[in-house]
Amino acid sequence: MSLSFLARRAAQKERVRILYRRALKDTLNWAVHRHLFYADADALRERFEANKNVEDIELIERMIADGEAQHNKWRHPDPYIVPWAPGGTKFCRNPTPPPGIEIIYNYGREDND
């Protein structure tokens, strides 16, 4: 096997891994309850496992491109974002104070000097 073949296979494996993770996270966006998500996640895993033993490089490339196109077509329009992550409802709720303002953390205890 040539070095370019191995490099191409490694890149394809990485693309498949990324596609699976994105599709799995997007499946969680579509599922209203966790028990619904488990069935969808199993179906998604079966779709990936069914093509696990394909060896033709060009066929794998087409399958990855089709999978990415299908994922982009069916992505959730309003995905769930963890509240404290960028884009979440709590992100930067308490922003850092502007420069020049000093915060004293003595909580009302005065110096008795």
Side-chain angles (χ1 to χ4, degrees):
M1 288 189 203
S2 67
L3 189 61
S4 64
F5 174 79
L6 294 175
R8 190 170 178 192
R9 283 288 286 174
Q12 286 178 339
K13 285 181 182 181
E14 183 70 12
R15 285 178 62 198
V16 169
R17 185 187 65 80
I18 290 170
L19 176 62
Y20 177 72
R21 285 181 55 111
R22 285 182 183 163
L24 191 63
K25 288 179 182 181
D26 199 52
T27 301
L28 188 56
N29 288 330
W30 285 103
V32 179
H33 299 289
R34 193 58 85 147
H35 68 278
L36 299 174
F37 165 73
Y38 292 139
D40 293 342
D42 287 341
L44 178 68
R45 184 66 184 194
E46 287 174 8
R47 289 181 65 190
F48 275 82
E49 289 289 333
N51 299 310
K52 184 169 117 176
N53 296 322
V54 176
E55 294 294 326
D56 183 19
I57 295 284
E58 298 303 323
L59 178 61
I60 294 171
E61 197 69 37
R62 284 193 305 268
M63 291 170 70
I64 292 172
D66 291 343
E68 288 172 344
Q70 189 174 10
H71 175 257
N72 287 332
K73 179 181 177 186
W74 293 107
R75 280 193 5 212
H76 198 281
D78 188 21
Y80 177 75
I81 300 172
V82 179
W84 51 86
T89 56
K90 289 185 178 180
F91 185 70
C92 286
R93 182 174 283 180
N94 298 320
T96 56
I101 295 180
E102 182 180 347
I103 298 176
I104 301 172
Y105 292 105
N106 67 356
Y107 302 108
R109 288 175 268 156
E110 292 84 18
D111 293 331
N112 293 328
D113 292 332

